[in-house]
Amino acid sequence: MCTGPFARQFAARNQGHGSQKLKVVAPSAGRRRALQAGRRPPAPVLAEEMEPRGRLPLLLRLGLMWPLGAPSEPRLRVFVVPHSHMDVGWLHTVQESMQAYVTNVYNTVVEELTLEKKRRFIAVEQEYFRLWWDGVASDEQKGQVHQLVAEGRLEFVLGGQVMHDEAVTHFDDQILQLTEGHGFLYETLGVWPQFSWQVDSFGASATTPTLFALAGFNAHVISRIDYNMKEAMQYKRELQFVWRGSRSLSAQQEIFTHVLDQFGYCSEGFNWDGKPVFPRQHWDYLYPSMGMPVNEDTVPVHSSSIAINVLARASWFQTAHILWPWGCDREFFNASQQFANMDIIMEYINNNTSEFSFSMEYATLGDYFRAVHSDQVAWQVRDHHDFLPYSSDKYHAWTGFYASRSGLKMLARRASTLLYAGESMFTRYMLLALHPNLDPAWGLQQLQQLRWAVSEVQHHDAITGTHAPKVDDMFVEHLSTGMQGVHTLMASIIQDRSPAHSGPEPGGRLVVVYNPLTWTITTIITLTMDFPSVRVTDVSGHPVPAQVQRSKELPSAYDLQVLTTIPGLSYQHYSIRPSRSSQEDTGETEPSVASTQQFAVRLRRHGRRMGQSLVPVVNDCYIIFLDLDTNLMHSIWERQSNQKVQVTQQFMEYHVNSHFNQDQISDNYVFRPDGRAEPAWEAVRMEIVAGPLVTEIRQYFYREVDDSEPTFTIYSRLAHGPQSSDGELLCHRIEQEYRVGPLELNREAILRTSTDLNTGQVLYSDNNGYQMQRRPYRQDTWNTIAQNYYPMVQSAFIQDRRSRLVLLSEQAHGVSSQGNGQVEVMLHRRLWNSDKWALDNDLTLNGSSVVHQVLWLLMGPWTLTSGLHQRSGLALQHRPVVMLREMNGEVGGPFSAPQKAVMLPSSVHLQILSIPSWKYSSNHTEHLQTLRKDQNREAKADLRRVLLRLQHLYEVDQDPVLSQPVTLNLQSVLRGLGSVVSMEERSLTGTWDVSEMHRWTWSTQNPHRHRGKFNQPSPPLGGPNITIYPKEIRTFFIHFQEQ
């Protein structure tokens, strides 16, 4: 038996029955983000203060937790999981990271795993692996990777292009980035990731466990949850549980979840490969320096540190299996040094297990979870609530990033919606048309480029706005280039389907409008014109309802608003020509010209009587009353229910501190206001632009009375559309567009909507556009305002017994209810502080940008709004795509091209319709044979295989009609695209045949109890008929017949 320092240390500490507190190494998880948040790393944590069994000596407590085995048999088994956390853009661009360290990580890790069979490694971000595989790896290295994967020594976990953020990403985009990564891995290596590794996203969404279960994962790893909650879960040994993320889905969509303990994903003090060299880096103090060299004298010291760490961890978990992530950011670029030192330490501990009471082994995540699963513990079940917001300590609520870099958030969402439309347009075109003038491979390349760009920006340091300006430039460039490519593809499709022939009157425009949704929509499209006198006609030459008004943004231009009704996945075509002469001379119908009524400027005053002089703006669904004493909105009357709710909107700002050493600060991550929000304007001017199609309310807010330009603007539109079922969504919404900025320094701008609803300060906001979460107001001693901010990716609402106010968003924002009947949305941030690290890395938000954002408001009883909520959100997200081209004496042929609509019931959404770029066979055996023969290089994408994903929009019991299961005949539904030959149901990302996907079952303390009526899983696919249940997402390969 060894009598080294560890044994002597424990003997000393156990004297007096544990009266002395056992210290452990200071936790390093979040060290980087702690510094970013304007604070130093936390002080060392005392294990005695965190554990559940009082002051019993640690070894005695461990003996009580697990029965003793044979004297030589270690009671604890430590799984050392080597990894390198590689941010896909944070302080450095992807290209800089590839050059500085990523290439060396894969080169040296593959070499070291090949040299020593006991070693293991997990790889996470597929964007980096793909760049290495396609651009760096030799044939020999690729062969080694194949061998390592086959032997289970190199494991791909998560498998997406990036480790996505979970707070401000839309679930469509989460699925996209997983699909792209999983498709590459399966096509290249024939493997499926089966475990997640979401260890650095800033909070955890309840949507994630549902998506990961559908993707075939067996276990899920998270880390960043509220510090108080993590401490309590450690104390109660509840860091592992079965998570049922959706209240409507069956237990098939639950997943075993492991929360990393307070040490997080970093193994501080055990890194020996130095630091990668970046251009102009300023982070020498950010990470711990290289660990103490490993030699005969220091091995006992290293081993003692590990032992104290391991034994502290052991008291926080229910099994004798300990997960020890080994690595951190940008580590293992010198894997030889790393593995060589760790080999020595682990061998020393394993040769002295009688003293250490545990063994250590290299492992993958799969190795660890197989051991935990084999113990057959009855696990606690967690319901559909999320882990948001994330706070790292009492002062630092990470709720600022919900609105950081708002412009990038907008661009990312618009790129995603363009991709969605481009995918279905291209698919329809390839299936239905001869395409002599368009190369399918080129078309897929344009889509692929945007798929990768949209996937990349979902990274947890990208769409969050927590990156450096040069990295922001990279994201914007990739998105913009991808969007340009898809715009070009769409224009080519329209041109190819539009053989030109002679037509009259050059100088007009052909407008093609495409509806990417699978419902008939009625909406109003807006075109900017240089001239006000125009004629708008449809495909038959009949005049179309339209309205002309002065442009709100370009004084010399005109906004032409056109009413359109378009079936699912179909086009409408319009001709817009200058009028030849007056309407009286020709008898032609011209668009109506809107009239403008201007009102006097009103100053912001306190204690003034309001509501004495109201002006109404009316359509068939709402009456908006405007207060002429204030030029603010006064109330909204929902006509169907005959209910009137007082509603007032104004812009306000939170002021924040800039002195790092004097007080807590707001930054890219953290929201830390100095006090309550204050009005950000002194005067408001209003005008009403009224026409037969649309009435627009324009409110201009001036920071100072004498300002010549407004700092804030609201444009509110109320449509006067037809009262058919197709026009229901158009009538029942108030469209608002905001212009915000430039802000003064250290201001955080919000739009506060105040009502007379008795809400009790309860807010509802969405998880990733998939499901809603109830957010009761929580009092907090240190940081109440910021702790009550939540992400709003697509929607939020407040309500009382009589009415509900719904906000629908085009992009992610922060949202809160800071008072009864109030809801506020954070729109823009401008921040600077004196933190040296932030200044050195230019990690501030000190820009003078102006942002343009869109919200739609719905008002009415919940019986009305619950049916409109989801469909209206999708109508905002996927508005029709408008394409224009000059006529130049030609009229396009699509006027005569036949169209067959693709229509789904109003409770079912076409989540994706695309032709993947994948070249693999969907038969797994055939694909593996192809990989062994290396024939995949010559394969081409199958243009008749379509990826189809359907989503039921409604929760169980949300609506008496729309919440019912829906049965579809896919052959019939898809007839508008061609003849269906066969169908396969697939996993969420398309790589598994669901009949071959056998996920692990985890024992639970309370067996599954479904909350609704529909608890049966969907039956195996035996024909074209499928049934989709509330909140289900089902994915298929559809094979179409050659034309």
Side-chain angles (χ1 to χ4, degrees):
M1 176 181 289
C2 177
T3 58
F6 174 74
R8 293 193 299 272
Q9 179 188 49
F10 241 151
R13 292 198 181 277
N14 285 330
Q15 291 178 357
H17 303 288
S19 59
Q20 299 183 36
K21 293 184 177 180
L22 174 63
K23 295 183 179 180
V24 300
V25 180
S28 62
R31 182 182 182 95
R32 173 186 70 183
R33 310 299 186 192
L35 287 163
Q36 290 172 346
R39 61 187 178 87
R40 298 305 172 196
V45 178
L46 303 180
E48 293 279 353
E49 296 173 346
M50 301 291 291
E51 297 165 4
R53 289 180 171 78
R55 297 181 178 275
L56 285 173
L58 186 57
L59 284 180
L60 174 59
R61 282 180 285 160
L62 297 177
L64 293 175
M65 290 178 193
W66 301 287
L68 297 176
S72 60
E73 193 176 296
R75 294 187 293 276
L76 294 176
R77 186 179 175 193
V78 179
F79 293 78
V80 178
V81 179
H83 73 97
S84 181
H85 183 71
M86 299 189 280
D87 286 310
V88 184
W90 172 39
L91 301 181
H92 296 280
T93 66
V94 167
Q95 189 59 39
E96 288 173 337
S97 296
M98 285 293 297
Q99 295 173 353
Y101 74 96
V102 172
T103 296
N104 284 339
V105 169
Y106 283 114
N107 284 344
T108 62
V109 164
V110 169
E111 179 181 6
E112 291 306 310
L113 296 186
T114 302
L115 290 174
E116 181 55 68
K117 287 188 175 295
K118 68 183 178 182
R119 295 169 177 167
R120 302 288 187 271
F121 194 81
I122 61 170
V124 185
E125 298 87 358
Q126 289 314 298
E127 176 162 341
Y128 281 136
F129 178 73
R130 173 175 53 82
L131 290 172
W132 176 79
W133 183 271
D134 288 344
V136 177
S138 65
D139 288 342
E140 180 183 9
Q141 287 173 315
K142 291 179 179 180
Q144 291 170 336
V145 168
H146 276 283
Q147 184 67 27
L148 294 171
V149 169
E151 295 174 357
R153 297 194 285 126
L154 174 62
E155 181 178 65
F156 290 91
V157 299
L158 186 60
Q161 290 285 89
V162 299
M163 185 186 297
H164 63 259
D165 171 68
E166 295 189 33
V168 297
T169 48
H170 196 280
F171 81 102
D172 288 353
D173 301 324
Q174 294 180 10
I175 295 172
L176 171 69
Q177 75 91 16
L178 286 172
T179 299
E180 288 303 304
H182 287 193
F184 174 79
L185 278 177
Y186 187 67
E187 182 172 273
T188 306
L189 299 171
V191 297
W192 305 286
Q194 297 183 49
F195 307 96
S196 93
W197 186 252
Q198 284 288 108
V199 298
D200 201 27
S201 53
F202 315 143
S205 166
T207 300
T208 307
T210 297
L211 299 185
F212 286 177
L214 290 169
F217 288 8
N218 288 312
H220 175 36
V221 180
I222 63 177
S223 182
R224 293 188 181 276
I225 66 173
D226 181 83
Y227 73 104
N228 269 326
M229 182 175 290
K230 178 175 283 193
E231 182 174 332
M233 292 170 75
Q234 287 182 166
Y235 184 86
K236 298 176 181 178
R237 293 202 292 158
E238 293 178 349
L239 291 171
Q240 293 172 317
F241 49 87
V242 171
W243 197 355
R244 294 176 181 159
S246 167
R247 68 181 183 88
S248 294
L249 295 177
S250 70
Q252 285 191 323
Q253 275 69 57
E254 68 186 14
I255 194 167
F256 181 79
T257 302
H258 176 109
V259 183
L260 294 182
D261 54 49
Q262 66 187 45
F263 297 99
Y265 64 82
C266 289
S267 52
E268 186 174 323
F270 297 91
N271 59 309
W272 296 280
D273 56 357
K275 297 182 180 68
V277 178
F278 285 93
R280 300 179 301 279
Q281 68 182 32
H282 300 280
W283 54 27
D284 288 345
Y285 71 94
L286 184 56
Y287 289 101
S289 57
M290 291 174 62
M292 185 191 309
V294 178
N295 54 45
E296 184 177 356
D297 295 328
T298 61
V299 167
V301 178
H302 281 298
S303 301
S304 297
S305 297
I306 289 177
I308 295 170
N309 180 295
V310 165
L311 296 179
R313 279 178 158 146
S315 65
W316 299 332
F317 293 92
Q318 294 189 45
T319 74
H321 311 299
I322 307 302
L323 175 63
W324 203 73
W326 176 37
C328 200
D329 293 49
R330 294 177 294 278
E331 293 193 1
F332 282 90
F333 64 90
N334 183 357
S336 173
Q337 189 72 28
Q338 290 278 75
F339 278 116
N341 285 326
M342 203 65 188
D343 286 348
I344 297 171
I345 296 172
M346 290 171 63
E347 182 179 3
Y348 178 84
I349 289 174
N350 289 334
N351 287 337
N352 296 278
T353 56
S354 58
E355 175 182 355
F356 289 102
S357 300
F358 63 87
S359 64
M360 299 189 78
E361 60 194 270
Y362 288 119
T364 62
L365 270 188
D367 295 331
Y368 170 74
F369 282 119
R370 276 184 283 273
V372 174
H373 185 256
S374 67
D375 278 4
Q376 290 297 306
V377 173
W379 299 100
Q380 177 190 13
V381 173
R382 181 177 177 85
D383 66 9
H384 63 280
H385 291 93
D386 60 15
F387 291 95
L388 292 167
Y390 164 58
S391 294
S392 50
D393 60 43
K394 62 186 178 182
Y395 297 113
H396 294 92
W398 293 41
T399 56
F401 75 88
Y402 300 161
S404 293
R405 299 200 188 280
S406 178
L408 180 66
K409 287 177 168 65
M410 171 67 79
L411 182 65
R413 185 67 64 83
R414 290 186 173 175
S416 172
T417 58
L418 177 68
L419 176 63
Y420 175 82
E423 296 277 18
S424 64
M425 183 185 287
F426 178 76
T427 300
R428 182 184 181 100
Y429 173 73
M430 296 303 298
L431 294 176
L432 290 177
L434 297 174
H435 35 81
N437 301 319
L438 195 154
D439 179 8
W442 172 82
L444 283 175
Q445 184 180 24
Q446 307 314 304
L447 293 169
Q448 186 66 73
Q449 188 173 21
L450 187 53
R451 290 170 190 160
W452 284 347
V454 173
S455 296
E456 177 185 72
V457 82
Q458 308 311 313
H459 170 59
H460 60 269
D461 272 316
I463 198 169
T464 54
T466 55
H467 51 268
K470 66 177 179 181
V471 179
D472 194 71
D473 292 341
M474 177 196 74
F475 292 135
V476 170
E477 179 185 357
H478 291 175
L479 289 169
S480 300
T481 301
M483 292 174 74
Q484 181 59 49
V486 171
H487 277 300
T488 302
L489 171 62
M490 288 177 157
S492 299
I493 291 173
I494 296 302
Q495 182 70 32
D496 198 37
R497 290 179 59 85
S498 308
H501 59 82
S502 178
E505 299 179 48
R509 295 181 183 179
L510 173 67
V511 180
V512 182
V513 187
Y514 177 67
N515 173 20
L517 295 172
T518 48
W519 317 309
T520 297
I521 62 163
T522 295
T523 191
I524 294 172
I525 61 171
T526 301
L527 308 169
T528 301
M529 310 297 294
D530 297 328
F531 42 85
S533 298
V534 297
R535 289 177 292 130
V536 184
T537 56
D538 63 14
V539 64
S540 301
H542 298 140
V544 175
Q547 173 181 318
V548 173
Q549 62 193 45
R550 284 279 184 183
S551 172
K552 57 183 179 289
E553 294 291 338
L554 301 171
S556 62
Y558 298 86
D559 288 338
L560 174 64
Q561 294 169 327
V562 180
L563 181 68
T564 182
T565 297
I566 319 174
L569 299 191
S570 298
Y571 301 89
Q572 285 286 17
H573 306 87
Y574 301 105
S575 293
I576 301 177
R577 298 180 176 89
S579 293
R580 288 171 296 181
S581 57
S582 70
Q583 190 169 334
E584 291 79 6
D585 294 340
T586 64
E588 296 177 344
T589 302
E590 292 187 1
S592 301
V593 178
S595 62
T596 301
Q597 184 178 8
Q598 297 185 345
F599 300 87
V601 174
R602 297 299 184 191
L603 304 183
R604 184 176 66 85
R605 296 174 182 172
H606 302 283
R608 178 176 179 173
R609 293 189 64 186
M610 302 175 187
Q612 302 302 303
S613 180
L614 302 179
V615 59
V617 174
V618 183
N619 76 353
D620 290 333
C621 297
Y622 296 117
I623 302 177
I624 301 175
F625 290 99
L626 301 166
D627 188 344
L628 297 186
D629 294 326
T630 63
N631 282 349
L632 302 179
M633 186 184 292
H634 175 272
S635 53
I636 300 174
W637 189 353
E638 200 283 309
R639 304 181 71 176
Q640 181 174 316
S641 62
N642 197 29
Q643 293 183 358
K644 184 177 181 180
V645 177
Q646 291 186 6
V647 181
T648 300
Q649 294 182 303
Q650 63 171 321
F651 291 98
M652 307 183 77
E653 288 177 334
Y654 288 101
H655 296 210
V656 298
N657 174 54
S658 64
H659 299 291
F660 178 74
N661 295 320
Q662 293 181 13
D663 201 354
Q664 305 300 328
I665 58 172
S666 280
D667 61 15
N668 298 53
Y669 302 84
V670 170
F671 175 40
R672 180 65 175 169
D674 278 351
R676 295 196 171 276
E678 302 175 6
W681 57 280
E682 291 297 330
V684 60
R685 178 171 62 87
M686 182 175 69
E687 57 189 32
I688 298 177
V689 182
L693 278 187
V694 177
T695 297
E696 186 171 83
I697 307 159
R698 302 175 177 178
Q699 296 165 293
Y700 305 93
F701 293 78
Y702 296 85
R703 183 178 295 279
E704 302 295 340
V705 174
D706 296 331
D707 285 353
S708 59
E709 295 294 330
T711 302
F712 310 97
T713 305
I714 304 177
Y715 304 112
S716 302
R717 299 203 312 175
L718 202 59
H720 313 291
Q723 268 297 286
S724 62
S725 59
D726 297 334
E728 180 184 30
L729 299 184
L730 178 61
C731 181
H732 277 101
R733 68 184 183 232
I734 301 168
E735 300 180 9
Q736 292 196 322
E737 180 183 344
Y738 313 102
R739 183 185 184 278
V740 181
L743 301 182
E744 294 184 346
L745 193 59
N746 289 321
R747 299 290 187 268
E748 312 206 34
I750 65 169
L751 175 75
R752 176 171 291 174
T753 303
S754 302
T755 75
D756 62 351
L757 298 176
N758 185 20
T759 64
Q761 282 188 267
V762 175
L763 171 74
Y764 296 80
S765 69
D766 68 319
N767 269 163
N768 314 107
Y770 177 70
Q771 60 190 357
M772 302 301 293
Q773 295 280 348
R774 185 176 185 271
R775 312 290 195 185
Y777 198 80
R778 302 176 301 161
Q779 292 295 334
D780 182 84
T781 304
W782 306 100
N783 206 3
T784 296
I785 294 174
Q787 287 279 6
N788 283 284
Y789 254 83
Y790 296 92
M792 177 179 70
V793 176
Q794 190 171 45
S795 64
F797 65 83
I798 57 174
Q799 65 180 9
D800 63 10
R801 292 183 178 181
R802 62 190 177 100
S803 198
R804 175 184 291 178
L805 172 65
V806 181
L807 304 182
L808 300 173
S809 177
E810 187 181 15
Q811 66 174 83
H813 299 284
V815 65
S816 184
S817 178
Q818 295 290 334
N820 187 35
Q822 289 183 354
V823 59
E824 63 186 50
V825 179
M826 186 171 288
L827 300 175
H828 199 15
R829 316 177 78 209
R830 185 178 183 185
L831 304 173
W832 181 91
N833 65 71
S834 59
D835 178 20
K836 183 179 185 302
W837 180 85
L839 295 176
D840 285 345
N841 290 284
D842 201 12
L843 203 64
T844 66
L845 297 172
N846 185 14
S848 57
S849 61
V850 175
V851 297
H852 297 259
Q853 294 149 335
V854 174
L855 292 179
W856 287 0
L857 278 60
L858 312 182
M859 174 71 78
W862 71 267
T863 52
L864 172 68
T865 56
S866 64
L868 299 174
H869 183 157
Q870 279 80 2
R871 289 183 294 148
S872 296
L874 286 167
L876 171 57
Q877 182 182 357
H878 297 300
R879 286 169 286 183
V881 177
V882 181
M883 295 160 282
L884 296 90
R885 64 185 182 91
E886 301 295 330
M887 287 185 178
N888 296 323
E890 301 173 347
V891 178
F895 284 82
S896 58
Q899 293 189 78
K900 294 181 180 179
V902 178
M903 302 289 288
L904 288 171
S906 55
S907 57
V908 178
H909 171 50
L910 178 70
Q911 203 269 340
I912 192 66
L913 180 76
S914 74
I915 297 175
S917 301
W918 308 323
K919 303 168 185 176
Y920 62 77
S921 168
S922 54
N923 182 294
H924 184 58
T925 302
E926 290 181 4
H927 177 53
L928 293 182
Q929 292 172 349
T930 300
L931 283 177
R932 282 193 290 269
K933 296 176 183 177
D934 199 26
Q935 294 174 344
N936 218 44
R937 296 182 181 183
E938 289 75 37
K940 294 183 179 180
D942 183 354
L943 299 178
R944 314 306 296 182
R945 178 177 65 182
V946 171
L947 179 67
L948 171 75
R949 188 177 298 115
L950 301 176
Q951 175 207 354
H952 197 300
L953 293 174
Y954 291 86
E955 299 278 3
V956 167
D957 297 330
Q958 181 179 345
D959 185 275
V961 176
L962 296 171
S963 291
Q964 297 298 311
V966 178
T967 298
L968 302 170
N969 183 302
L970 290 182
Q971 282 184 331
S972 177
V973 167
L974 300 174
R975 189 172 293 129
L977 299 176
S979 298
V980 174
V981 175
S982 62
M983 301 183 299
E984 314 165 52
E985 184 156 13
R986 308 293 291 187
S987 63
L988 181 72
T989 59
T991 52
W992 289 85
D993 184 323
V994 293
S995 65
E996 300 173 358
M997 187 175 74
H998 304 294
R999 296 179 60 241
W1000 299 351
T1001 300
W1002 296 83
S1003 301
T1004 59
Q1005 295 173 4
N1006 50 325
H1008 178 70
R1009 179 176 60 83
H1010 191 68
R1011 293 171 180 257
K1013 310 170 189 174
F1014 317 114
N1015 58 0
Q1016 64 269 39
S1018 296
L1021 195 63
N1025 292 323
I1026 67 164
T1027 299
I1028 182 166
Y1029 292 88
K1031 297 310 291 186
E1032 262 197 328
I1033 302 172
R1034 297 184 67 178
T1035 305
F1036 305 89
F1037 279 161
I1038 309 295
H1039 298 266
F1040 285 88
Q1041 186 176 13
E1042 292 280 355
Q1043 294 292 323

